[in-house]
Amino acid sequence: MRTKTDVDSLFEPRGVAVVGASHNEAKIGYRIVENIVKSGYNGGIYPINPKGGEILGQKMYESLSAVEGPVDIAVISVPEKIVFDAVKDCADKGVKHLVIITSGFSEVGNVEEEQRIVDFAHDHGMRVLGPNIFGIYSASASLDATFGPGGILSGHVAIISQSGALGVAMIGKTAAESIGLSALVSVGNKSDIDETELLEYLAQDDATRVILIYIEGVKHGERLVETLKKVTREKHVVVIKSGRSKRGAMAAASHTGSLAGTDEIFDNVMRQCGVLRAESLQEAFDWARFLADAPVPKGKYGVIVTNGGGIGVLATDACEKYDVALYDDQKTLKETFSPVMPDFGSSKNPVDLTGQATAEDYAKALDATLEKEGMDAAIALYCETALFDVNKFKEILRREYEHYRGRKPIIFALFGGDKVDHIIDTLGKDGVPVFASVYEAVSCMGALYRSWRNLREQPEEPELYDFDADAVNGIIEKARQQGRGFLLADEAQQVASILGLPMPRSIVAGSIQEAVDAAEEIGYPVVMKVVSKDIVHKSDAGGVALDLDNKKEVVDAYQAILRSCRAYKKDAVIKGVEVVEMAPPGVETIIGARQDGAFGPIVMFGLGGIYVEVMKDVTFRAAPVSRREAQSMVSEIRSYPLLLGVRGEKRKDIDEIVTVATRLSSLIHRCRDITDVEINPLVVYDRGEGVKAVDVRILFKKRPEVK
Ligand code: ADP
Ligand code: MG
């Protein structure tokens, strides 16, 4: 059981004050009072305005101190200049939550005033929602303390919105689409209360079945991830984020950085958390409405019932796209549907009743599906024909839906002219999930199944590798004292060996003679690589020579490397050349980890080698990851078949990739001074034969974080 937190009284306040209530109907301060009164809130309502008087049948108080009852929420809508004074009055009154509507704070660069308010609030036991918000709605309190258009229906969808304008528009939209809300919260600048805390509350709120979040930017992403992972085991969570096309800032020094478009990371991390990310607002609302009403499926197999072959095929495609499995036991399909099937129909899934079918045939086929054990969900399609009595059909759909509603998920897609559109409209308003497009309908079913798989999955603890972090930090500190922001090859190797990563043998040589000795000791063939604090990408500088078979080649390579590195960067300080055992060829992968601006530590896996930037076949997770999460990264990339083995090749050592990924995840999670670590390539061999970290790169903050 969750203990009551600060946020509970935000949703269940005993009294609400509106500081800045106005007699002027055109003002926000009027609108908020009006909504509170009209929504039927039965706690104390206290409009505050120095002029006093009356508003909408409520006494207007001249000041907060004149209010006698308890005030849990103060909605503040006075001008920015006097917000702080209002906050002081709230402290004197013992208010718990400041819901600051007023804008003109950090969103326009006025960070200090916002911070001053938050600090003062915290010193006086108050919490802040906003500023720069449109308010809050809570169904359990019957309270609409927003300046929206009113008319919010109560129901099972909770909305958290970072955008004010869009949030207000959502009020109208949900009302128009008959979507009932359990809560609606505007978080605005998130100066104090953010999504994470609200999610914790909503996760245990019985009325809430679906949580829909509109997000523009992630703050404190580590906490958000931790919370989302828990919340998605209880509720469906749908997210819509703006900025899909924007790419994050390019960090030149690592592939992990430059490949990490903020949106790709957001996308991957949301999936990792079990969150459903919608493509558009419309999709988000479609999902939310469907998920709020649909029962949890008992199994994974859907049945498509249609009177048109064409749209049946479209739906089959959509099922593939949205990962909805189709019931495939042909014998049972035949037994189930033959009795209700017209002459030329097909009982294969899609169950095609053909244009010959009447509304009654259609109803019988739907009944057969929904009564049959093992047929877990129904996708009911209809193409307009002359044989259907449209009005009768409408009532049949309504009846079927009502009858099976709590038992099995059902979705409808109808295609045709005005009469059909009319059915879609009317049934839609009554909460029946009918769509004009097969894709939209199946997309909803797909969302339900994705969320369902997540609800069923047992949570798994992250795999934390116990390594000597002090030793790693020591190596970094030494390099830092030399003014560097990255480790040289030999130092990176030390870190890799602390993590127990398999690497080819290597010796750093400071002269030709030392290089030859090293090569003889390691054994031919060898690889040689420049070791220089001024060169990060060694092959770009001509600093790598592969496959050296004898002493002469080592001598030549040594000179060639020095020559081309000097040509590449005139004043490069070259410490020497690393002589390395030549690793046998295998599949080149890349594993990286870094501190991300939004989510904190993250891990990346992908197909590596020199084409990594071109192929961009990579995937991300928030760290630390569990083994299962690391495994899912491997199986998620497009090149996964290469690791399974193509054309008679053996399967590669995927277990070892997973191990290396969890170790980098542990490293980036614990050593916060490391900004980027990347193994490219991590060469992967056949199953049982392991992997080799051939090139390990580690970057760190030049100055340690002041804590
Ligand atoms: P950089 O990425 O700084 O250019 P690498 O050490 O990754 O340098 O070397 C470049 C490429 O050379 C690697 O991607 C890999 O294909 C190959 N290579 C490097 N070291 C070895 C090795 N020890 N055995 C086999 N191939 C190697
Ligand atoms: Mg490399």
Side-chain angles (χ1 to χ4, degrees):
M1 224 358 239
R2 169 182 162 276
T3 50
K4 268 193 178 288
T5 67
D6 292 350
V7 172
D8 293 44
S9 54
L10 184 60
F11 293 91
E12 293 144 35
R14 292 166 299 170
V16 180
V18 180
V19 182
S22 172
H23 292 287
N24 181 346
E25 291 184 21
K27 287 256 167 93
I28 283 175
Y30 178 89
R31 195 18 101 72
I32 296 170
V33 179
E34 187 185 22
N35 279 337
I36 295 175
V37 172
K38 284 193 178 161
S39 55
Y41 175 61
N42 56 25
I45 304 175
Y46 310 111
I48 315 285
N49 187 312
K51 289 187 200 126
E54 204 179 89
I55 174 174
L56 293 154
Q58 303 287 320
K59 173 179 156 73
M60 188 82 103
Y61 293 76
E62 284 166 28
S63 70
L64 253 182
S65 56
V67 174
E68 271 177 18
V71 177
D72 286 338
I73 293 182
V75 183
I76 298 177
S77 71
V78 296
E80 175 262 319
K81 293 263 177 307
I82 54 170
V83 168
F84 192 78
D85 293 334
V87 169
K88 282 198 275 190
D89 293 346
C90 292
D92 292 341
K93 175 64 193 162
V95 166
K96 289 187 176 164
H97 294 282
L98 306 170
V99 173
I100 306 180
I101 307 286
T102 313
S103 44
F105 294 93
S106 68
E107 83 281 9
V108 292
N110 188 3
V111 179
E112 281 117 67
E113 183 66 3
E114 188 170 300
Q115 197 53 50
R116 185 161 83 111
I117 291 168
V118 173
D119 290 344
F120 181 87
H122 286 178
D123 287 347
H124 294 82
M126 300 187 289
R127 302 296 309 274
V128 181
L129 185 67
N132 185 27
I133 58 173
F134 62 82
I136 180 167
Y137 164 79
S138 164
S140 58
S142 245
L143 171 69
D144 177 359
T146 74
F147 60 79
I152 301 177
L153 305 168
S154 88
H156 305 296
V157 178
I159 299 181
I160 301 173
S161 174
Q162 194 176 344
S163 158
L166 200 56
V168 171
M170 285 183 192
I171 295 178
K173 178 77 174 165
T174 51
E177 302 226 336
S178 317
I179 298 174
L181 303 185
S182 55
L184 171 66
V185 192
S186 171
V187 287
N189 296 359
K190 304 193 247 190
S191 68
D192 177 21
I193 296 172
D194 62 6
E195 296 93 355
T196 307
E197 220 171 324
L198 297 169
L199 279 165
E200 277 165 10
Y201 172 82
L202 295 169
Q204 54 76 57
D205 172 43
D206 290 337
T208 301
R209 290 194 198 137
V210 183
I211 302 168
L212 194 158
I213 313 174
Y214 172 82
I215 210 163
E216 282 168 355
V218 176
K219 271 191 197 174
H220 314 302
E222 262 185 278
R223 263 179 58 226
L224 180 65
V225 166
E226 222 175 279
T227 306
L228 280 173
K229 279 186 176 178
K230 282 186 253 149
V231 176
T232 52
R233 309 222 173 258
E234 319 247 349
K235 315 268 162 163
H236 306 291
V237 181
V238 178
V239 69
I240 172 107
K241 175 179 172 287
S242 56
R244 233 190 209 291
S245 57
K246 242 189 278 149
R247 286 192 58 85
M250 300 279 180
S254 81
H255 296 291
T256 317
S258 63
L259 288 166
T262 51
D263 199 68
E264 285 84 348
I265 297 177
F266 182 84
D267 213 68
N268 290 172
V269 172
M270 286 304 117
R271 193 143 26 86
Q272 173 186 10
C273 295
V275 171
L276 305 166
R277 182 176 185 187
E279 289 272 350
S280 65
L281 277 170
Q282 186 59 50
E283 187 172 59
F285 282 113
D286 287 349
W287 288 356
R289 186 168 64 157
F290 180 63
L291 294 170
D293 204 52
V296 175
K298 291 201 180 63
K300 64 180 183 181
Y301 296 108
V303 172
I304 300 172
V305 176
T306 180
N307 71 335
I311 67 170
V313 177
L314 285 174
T316 311
D317 290 348
C319 284
E320 197 171 309
K321 173 168 172 182
Y322 294 109
D323 217 0
V324 176
L326 291 178
Y327 187 87
D328 198 31
D329 176 349
Q330 295 302 325
K331 191 165 154 269
T332 311
L333 281 166
K334 198 160 184 199
E335 279 165 18
T336 311
F337 294 106
S338 296
V340 299
M341 188 64 59
D343 287 350
F344 299 105
S346 159
S347 64
K348 295 193 175 115
N349 194 4
V351 176
D352 183 2
L353 305 170
T354 76
Q356 300 296 314
T358 62
E360 286 76 14
D361 296 334
Y362 195 93
K364 280 187 204 146
L366 261 184
D367 281 337
T369 307
L370 293 163
E371 293 293 346
K372 190 83 195 170
E373 184 117 4
M375 300 188 183
D376 305 303
I379 297 163
L381 313 177
Y382 167 72
C383 263
E384 191 171 12
T385 70
L387 291 183
F388 271 59
D389 174 337
V390 170
N391 273 322
K392 214 156 137 199
F393 183 56
K394 184 173 86 191
E395 291 319 311
I396 285 175
L397 293 191
R398 192 197 301 278
R399 194 187 68 212
E400 291 290 316
Y401 184 70
E402 289 304 328
H403 190 69
Y404 292 100
R405 187 173 172 184
R407 290 197 269 161
K408 284 186 185 179
I410 316 169
I411 199 120
F412 301 94
L414 317 182
F415 189 73
D418 291 347
K419 285 182 191 154
V420 168
D421 286 345
H422 179 70
I423 303 186
I424 295 174
D425 262 11
T426 351
L427 290 183
K429 287 223 162 58
D430 296 344
V432 182
V434 275
F435 292 89
S437 142
V438 170
Y439 267 78
E440 282 163 19
V442 178
S443 148
C444 287
M445 197 60 95
L448 176 66
Y449 270 104
R450 265 186 289 150
S451 197
W452 173 68
R453 281 192 282 269
N454 195 67
L455 291 166
R456 283 191 340 153
E457 206 163 71
Q458 284 307 306
E460 207 186 46
E461 288 298 312
E463 174 107 339
L464 290 174
Y465 184 63
D466 191 15
F467 65 96
D468 188 349
D470 290 342
V472 173
N473 289 327
I475 295 168
I476 289 172
E477 189 47 43
K478 241 166 99 190
R480 182 184 281 138
Q481 277 164 14
Q482 295 168 17
R484 272 185 281 135
F486 74 100
L487 297 183
L488 295 177
D490 46 334
E491 297 160 337
Q493 296 237 352
Q494 286 171 37
V495 174
S497 76
I498 290 170
L499 287 173
L501 305 180
M503 286 166 302
R505 231 190 122 193
S506 102
I507 298 170
V508 176
S511 67
I512 294 191
Q513 189 52 49
E514 277 177 34
V516 171
D517 292 348
E520 315 257 275
E521 187 176 332
I522 288 167
Y524 295 106
V526 294
V527 172
M528 285 167 65
K529 302 182 190 183
V530 65
V531 180
S532 165
K533 71 175 176 57
D534 300 311
I535 297 171
V536 183
H537 295 285
K538 300 175 288 292
S539 15
D540 290 354
V544 179
L546 301 173
D547 209 4
L548 308 170
D549 276 325
N550 52 50
K551 184 175 165 183
K552 179 172 182 308
E553 287 184 14
V554 169
V555 172
D556 290 350
Y558 192 97
Q559 289 165 333
I561 286 175
L562 257 54
R563 213 179 311 121
S564 53
C565 288
R566 292 246 155 76
Y568 180 77
K569 210 169 194 182
K570 213 166 67 228
D571 49 359
V573 177
I574 294 170
K575 180 175 167 190
V577 170
E578 190 190 11
V579 180
V580 196
E581 172 192 336
M582 174 91 187
V587 178
E588 294 199 346
T589 60
I590 178 171
I591 299 188
R594 72 189 312 254
Q595 307 292 348
D596 176 67
F599 290 107
I602 56 166
V603 204
M604 177 192 83
F605 172 74
L607 192 69
I610 49 177
Y611 298 127
V612 58
E613 299 269 4
V614 183
M615 304 302 290
K616 292 197 172 70
D617 190 11
V618 294
T619 180
F620 298 89
R621 293 289 185 281
V625 291
S626 65
R627 274 195 85 82
R628 187 172 65 207
E629 286 168 333
Q631 172 73 48
S632 75
M633 292 176 80
V634 178
S635 56
E636 190 174 285
I637 63 165
R638 293 192 304 278
S639 317
Y640 183 51
L642 292 183
L643 295 166
L644 291 176
V646 281
R647 304 207 163 198
E649 276 178 357
K650 287 211 182 107
R651 183 190 160 99
K652 307 298 166 207
D653 209 330
I654 292 169
D655 270 1
E656 283 301 305
I657 303 179
V658 169
T659 300
V660 173
T662 56
R663 298 220 175 148
L664 285 200
S665 141
S666 304
L667 176 69
I668 202 77
H669 174 66
R670 268 182 75 190
C671 297
R672 295 298 168 114
D673 279 352
I674 296 180
T675 55
D676 280 87
V677 41
E678 183 174 284
I679 305 175
N680 184 25
L682 177 81
V683 183
V684 185
Y685 301 107
D686 290 349
R687 176 148 59 175
E689 289 171 26
V691 296
K692 273 213 157 69
V694 160
D695 180 24
V696 181
R697 183 169 304 163
I698 296 175
L699 297 115
F700 51 86
K701 293 194 191 100
K702 283 203 171 177
R703 289 272 144 263
E705 197 117 289
V706 194
K707 297 211 172 84

